[in-house]
Amino acid sequence: MFGNTKSTSSSHVSDDKNKFLLEKKMARQKREWKAMEMNAVIKIQKHVRGFLTRCQFLSKIRNNLDVAISYKDEQIDYTPVLQPASAVFPSAKRFLIFFTKDQRVTKRFECLCKYILHSLNSAVIQENYMSMLLNKSLSASWIEHIKQLLVCCTQFTQLKPENSADMKTINTLLTVLISFTSTTNWRILTGKSGDVLRPAMNQLCTNFLSHVKEKSFFQSMEGLLISGLVKPKPCFKAATFSAICTLLLRMYNAGSLQTNDVVRELLLHVLSVPSLVYHMETLCNEMYIKFLSERIFTRCLSFLSSHNAIQAIAITLEGNRTLSLLANLLQLGLAEKEGVVDNLVQFNNVMNKLLQLCGQFMAGRSKTSKSHWHPILGWSNQPLDHNEAIPFITKQLQLLWDPKTISILFCELNEFSMSLSDEEARKSAGQKKKKGDKKNVMLKLDSSVILSTCTACSMYLSAKSVLVHIQAEILSGLAFHPTLLKQLWILISHLGSSSGRVKVILDALTNQMSESFESYTNSLTSVLALFCDAAVMLFMILDDVEMYEDQKPFSLDDLIGLSDMLNQLVFKIIYYDVIDWKHADTDPLFNAAHSLLQLLHERDSRRSFAPPNHWIIKDIKPAQFISSIDKGNTTAQFLLQKMPQIIAHKDRVILFRKLVMSEKESLGLTAAARTISNVTYVTISRRRLLEDGYSQLAGISAHALKGVIRVKFVNYQGLDEAGIDQDGVFKEFLEETVKRVFDPALNLFRVTDEQKLYPSPISSLQDNHLKLFEFVGRILGKALYEGIVIDVPFAPFFLTQVLNNMKNSMYSYLDELPSLDPALYKNLSYVKHYDGDIEDLDLTFSYDEDFMGQLKNYELKPGGRAISVTNENRISYVHYMARFKMRTQIKEQTQAFIRGFSSIVNYDWLRMFSTPEAQKLISGDTVEIDLSDLRRHTQYFGGFHNNHRVIIWLWDILEKDFSETERSQFLKFITSCSKPPLLGFAQLDPPFSIRCVEVADDQDTGDTIGSILKGFFNIRKNEPAGRLPTSSTCFNLLKLPNYSKKRILKDKLRYSILNNTGFELS
């Protein structure tokens, strides 16, 4: 019991101890907090007292200044009351000591500046603020004071030029800077004593400029210029802008400052201000002229031509401001002109480098999550700043392709061309050659004309590549320059013969690739690339009259030489692996040369200017080339895709048929692999041929349509026609379907004045017209797939759209408009060549057309009704109108036709053929009928044979008595097509056949032993002179009675084919 009592007592003692310690700890913490509070109060009081003291001190300084310059706070209109300068100077000096660099310019500081400016005009020497300079004891202090004043006057950051009050402040500050950086208006220097002091004072002004420069003068001017100029409408008036320009020129001209450092600052902070030079010319032309007279551009060009100077500046500026610098230098240089002409290669190289550096900030052709849209550069890695200046920058950049600029940059090329023209004139006049004249002028690759032309072309290529959204304007300016393209071609043509030129360019390209050049700088390849790009633009605009008749700017001989060179060059670039075919599509030279080559080939295909076989590469052996394609040679496949014209049309047709057969084999559609599942059976009523064909074939798969189609006809009496379709009946079905579908009365298709077919713009009057067009496309594709020749003459503009699926951006609708609407073409040509102001014609980008008795208005482009046609946009109007008539109006019909056609025929195969070649593929060749070939591949039935008397007469009549037109009608009478197959009559399926018949078609039961013997031995029951020859076009079969006389055969045959009697008159 006693033990428990002791334990309890000990526990109480411990608790009391802990409680005591805790109380002491809390008391100690409380004392510490109180001490901290007291210290905090003391510090706060210290800072407050300090702040209040400083405020009182600054207030005293301000009050002293206010008294000295007679300034009252919040005074609206301040009028200085001059005091002795010695009384003002101490107060002003103390005031500026506490005027920090980042402090906003106050009203008091502005009034101080006004006071000082007012005092400078005082004739009383004691009141003139400059008088302090004459006081030896105060002059040093006064100089430091003025330096500080001038630095404070460059604080424009928080001033807004669009605010009238701030603009007044800006003008005051600029006037102070102007006044103390030149002795021109210093009244204390008047008189003889002033002349003595002037040199020292001029040096003082230079010192002031040097000090201000070190205190971020150029950065301050940059901010002020941007805030005042980079607006939809600049805020500066002429006086303000003149003051800024004056200060800049003083800084530039200060003797000790005219170093590369000043030029660098000028480029970084002044000439990089968006549209600066443009506004200088328009707002302050006097200063613009002074800038030109100082040859600032020439100095900048020299600096930028030094090693790595451009890269350093462009990295500091980045893309948007680099573009502004380029635009300002461009305008300044072209205005100065002498600086460009005297340093042509330097100018081109500097512009080129600046353009390439701008290109480094481009984000590519497509938008990414980090890209920003730039109206000139496209997608950029930088956000667009100062977008208000874009219209002005664009105007500056337009100088790049101004005719005067082009003439300056290619002046040496012009002199070279003119010298050749003079030589040709002397030769044509029969003058003797001057000493030193050469028979053929061959340019050396290191000649000055080559170098200057290469650098200019390289610069324009960079501009085209970087300034993506004004690329078309650049190329248009180059293309339509009166002499440039012709002179570039003269230069290229004087590199050697056609093969010699190709070798020179290939060597240049090879060296370039091996040295891993980043661009086409200073290489002959840049000349050819730019020439091709601009020529493509030109040929897209030239109409046939300009190209073939006027022959401007190129003669037809020029076109022959140019196309031959390009054909060889593009082929050898790929064939000899100068450029890997995998990268060819991204190579500027290959793309440019290939585009021009294909454009020239298309023009030649439509209207020939080149001799026969001009496009065929003679180094190629067609059989080996096609074999290499079959074996999967990717180079050969690429060449065939890009320039199929290098092998003959016949060889491409053979390849086409091989490709079709190869696909049939892979799909199991050949005769050997044919199964019942690959055969589609259809029943067609002759009364509803088109409707039944559409209902039964439009819905089947493309695979099934590529297979065998067996047709059973139901005659007009509703009875099944006898006979089994062995492809002949299907051929008849195709022919009859085509006749009905392409009949203009159905209103799916129309015909041009030349009887060429194209989709009707008002086909929508037919129900399901687009599905019908798709069906027609499938039927035509099936005919082409099976090699069945159908006499359907398509309008070239429509077939071009079908073949290219509008992927060819170089196609010009205007070229083929005469075939559709000659009257419209004549009117558009009048607009294109109109000499006066086109606005007098009161045209807009819209078109009125009568539709079912109602006048409908179509806009050629969005908002076209409100866009007037002007001299500047009339070329665009002409092409928009042609596009509307030949593309827009039939766009849906064409796309539906293409869907059906391409579901059967692989479009990659069709790229091998031009539009005229594809028409031959569909309708047969346009050459004369080869009767010997036809005779070799003719089969005979019913007793006829090759040496039968009637057969001998027949071939003799066709050869000697029939004209070529009659022979074509004979072929059409039997095969339904007037043109021979492209690969000869061996490819005709079914084969061409002649059968001896004795009875009418309705009594004909086919060949029997008796009928064959009678035909063979010329045994006749009756003279068949009253009967006519007939045909079965589905089997390519001529049914010929066994006539007794050659004259009867000739007359009957001629009557039949001229009247196309067929079955009905037999």
Side-chain angles (χ1 to χ4, degrees), residues 929-938 955 980-981 983-987 992:
I929 297 170
D930 187 347
L931 290 175
S932 59
D933 181 53
L934 177 59
R935 188 168 186 176
R936 279 194 307 271
H937 298 97
T938 298
W955 295 117
L983 300 179
F985 288 99
Q987 301 297 316
F992 191 90

Side-chain angles (χ1 to χ4, degrees), residues 16 23 38 183 223 284 485 596 614 646 753 880 892 963 1011:
D16 292 342
E23 289 175 351
M38 184 60 65
T183 61
C284 192
L485 282 183
L596 180 57
H614 172 74
I646 59 176
D753 291 346
Y880 266 111
E892 291 183 343
S963 65
S1011 66

Side-chain angles (χ1 to χ4, degrees), residues 134-186:
L134 304 178
N135 187 327
K136 291 183 179 181
S137 62
L138 297 176
S139 59
S141 175
W142 182 86
I143 290 172
E144 291 302 316
H145 164 65
I146 295 300
K147 287 181 179 180
Q148 190 174 10
L149 174 69
L150 295 179
V151 171
C152 292
C153 285
T154 62
Q155 306 307 307
F156 302 107
T157 308
Q158 298 182 35
L159 297 174
K160 300 182 184 302
E162 60 270 23
N163 183 291
S164 59
D166 282 359
M167 180 57 78
K168 290 179 181 179
T169 303
I170 290 171
N171 288 330
T172 301
L173 302 183
L174 289 173
T175 306
V176 172
L177 291 168
I178 291 288
S179 299
F180 284 97
T181 53
S182 173
T183 61
T184 304
N185 296 317
W186 288 12

Side-chain angles (χ1 to χ4, degrees), residues 684-949:
I684 305 294
S685 170
R686 290 194 180 272
R687 289 183 180 277
R688 294 174 46 81
L689 186 140
L690 180 59
E691 293 83 349
D692 288 353
Y694 173 75
S695 63
Q696 296 183 59
L697 294 178
I700 69 173
S701 67
H703 182 275
L705 194 56
K706 289 180 180 180
V708 177
I709 307 294
R710 294 290 184 216
V711 176
K712 176 182 282 293
F713 277 118
V714 176
N715 63 21
Y716 289 99
Q717 288 73 38
L719 302 176
D720 291 349
E721 294 186 1
I724 301 174
D725 181 8
Q726 295 296 331
D727 295 333
V729 178
F730 178 68
K731 180 173 179 286
E732 181 185 359
F733 164 72
L734 277 181
E735 293 167 355
E736 292 299 318
T737 301
V738 165
K739 282 181 184 178
R740 299 195 186 189
V741 164
F742 292 107
D743 183 354
L746 189 62
N747 197 39
L748 283 182
F749 285 84
R750 284 182 177 178
V751 292
T752 66
D753 291 346
E754 299 172 351
Q755 300 302 301
K756 305 291 186 181
L757 292 159
Y758 70 98
S760 170
I762 58 172
S763 63
S764 57
L765 297 176
Q766 279 277 1
D767 293 337
N768 299 321
H769 73 120
L770 295 182
K771 291 185 177 180
L772 278 172
F773 273 107
E774 186 171 351
F775 172 67
V776 173
R778 298 184 92 201
I779 290 297
L780 190 68
K782 172 66 174 176
L784 188 59
Y785 194 77
E786 299 296 342
I788 299 173
V789 178
I790 297 179
D791 200 359
V792 180
F794 285 114
F797 71 87
F798 169 64
L799 192 55
T800 298
Q801 295 179 48
V802 172
L803 292 178
N804 294 315
N805 203 5
M806 294 321 296
K807 291 178 181 176
N808 188 354
S809 60
M810 297 180 297
Y811 178 70
S812 173
Y813 295 95
L814 189 64
D815 293 341
E816 291 174 326
L817 183 60
S819 65
L820 174 65
D821 194 334
L824 178 61
Y825 176 77
K826 183 179 179 180
N827 292 336
L828 292 179
S829 296
Y830 176 78
V831 170
K832 181 179 178 181
H833 300 288
Y834 188 70
D835 291 333
D837 186 352
I838 203 71
E839 292 189 61
D840 295 341
L841 302 180
D842 197 26
L843 299 172
T844 63
F845 277 75
S846 61
Y847 175 70
D848 294 328
E849 186 175 53
D850 189 320
F851 181 78
M852 305 295 290
Q854 293 184 344
L855 192 66
K856 293 193 68 174
N857 180 268
Y858 301 93
E859 289 189 333
L860 303 181
K861 61 190 296 188
R865 293 186 188 93
I867 302 175
S868 297
V869 179
T870 65
N871 288 346
E872 288 73 27
N873 65 20
R874 61 175 163 185
I875 297 296
S876 176
Y877 166 76
V878 165
H879 284 268
Y880 266 111
M881 179 64 80
R883 176 185 172 86
F884 174 79
K885 290 291 290 184
M886 303 178 74
R887 164 68 174 165
T888 307
Q889 281 193 316
I890 59 171
K891 181 179 179 181
E892 291 183 343
Q893 296 92 321
T894 302
Q895 289 177 339
F897 186 94
I898 289 171
R899 280 197 301 273
F901 190 72
S902 60
S903 67
I904 307 300
V905 181
N906 190 327
Y907 255 91
D908 289 335
W909 305 342
L910 294 176
R911 290 197 182 101
M912 295 188 292
F913 304 102
S914 65
T915 298
E917 289 171 342
Q919 183 66 66
K920 292 179 183 179
L921 198 64
I922 295 169
S923 302
D925 210 341
T926 54
V927 298
E928 293 186 359
I929 297 170
D930 187 347
L931 290 175
S932 59
D933 181 53
L934 177 59
R935 188 168 186 176
R936 279 194 307 271
H937 298 97
T938 298
Q939 298 180 2
Y940 302 99
F941 301 95
F944 279 159
H945 53 85
N946 191 48
N947 293 318
H948 192 283
R949 181 183 64 181

Side-chain angles (χ1 to χ4, degrees), residues 108-304:
R108 181 176 282 101
F109 177 76
E110 181 185 356
C111 290
L112 172 62
C113 291
K114 288 181 178 181
Y115 180 92
I116 293 174
L117 291 173
H118 189 63
S119 75
L120 296 181
N121 295 319
S122 175
V124 180
I125 190 67
Q126 291 83 2
E127 295 177 352
N128 194 308
Y129 209 63
M130 288 287 184
S131 64
M132 302 307 301
L133 184 60
L134 304 178
N135 187 327
K136 291 183 179 181
S137 62
L138 297 176
S139 59
S141 175
W142 182 86
I143 290 172
E144 291 302 316
H145 164 65
I146 295 300
K147 287 181 179 180
Q148 190 174 10
L149 174 69
L150 295 179
V151 171
C152 292
C153 285
T154 62
Q155 306 307 307
F156 302 107
T157 308
Q158 298 182 35
L159 297 174
K160 300 182 184 302
E162 60 270 23
N163 183 291
S164 59
D166 282 359
M167 180 57 78
K168 290 179 181 179
T169 303
I170 290 171
N171 288 330
T172 301
L173 302 183
L174 289 173
T175 306
V176 172
L177 291 168
I178 291 288
S179 299
F180 284 97
T181 53
S182 173
T183 61
T184 304
N185 296 317
W186 288 12
R187 294 197 64 170
I188 64 169
L189 297 182
T190 56
K192 293 181 179 180
S193 59
D195 294 338
V196 176
L197 293 173
R198 193 174 297 277
M201 296 301 101
N202 287 336
Q203 182 58 48
L204 179 62
C205 290
T206 301
N207 293 340
F208 286 157
L209 286 169
S210 179
H211 179 77
V212 172
K213 172 186 168 294
E214 292 172 359
K215 301 298 182 179
S216 304
F217 168 78
F218 284 104
Q219 290 88 332
S220 297
M221 290 296 106
E222 175 187 12
L224 178 60
L225 287 167
I226 289 175
S227 63
L229 293 180
V230 185
K231 307 285 183 184
K233 183 179 179 181
C235 301
F236 290 151
K237 293 184 179 180
T240 306
F241 203 6
S242 177
I244 296 172
C245 293
T246 299
L247 286 170
L248 292 172
L249 283 176
R250 287 181 183 176
M251 191 67 72
Y252 175 78
N253 285 322
S256 61
L257 302 179
Q258 196 171 353
T259 62
N260 282 341
D261 186 40
V262 172
V263 176
R264 182 181 181 277
E265 294 291 306
L266 200 66
L267 288 165
L268 273 176
H269 302 294
V270 179
L271 290 176
S272 65
V273 173
S275 59
L276 169 76
V277 178
Y278 176 86
H279 291 307
M280 191 186 299
E281 182 185 17
T282 55
L283 294 177
C284 192
N285 191 257
E286 182 181 350
M287 294 308 302
Y288 178 67
I289 294 172
K290 285 187 178 180
F291 258 71
L292 297 180
S293 65
E294 294 292 341
R295 302 294 297 271
I296 291 177
F297 169 78
T298 304
R299 185 68 188 278
C300 291
L301 184 63
S302 176
F303 173 78
L304 290 171

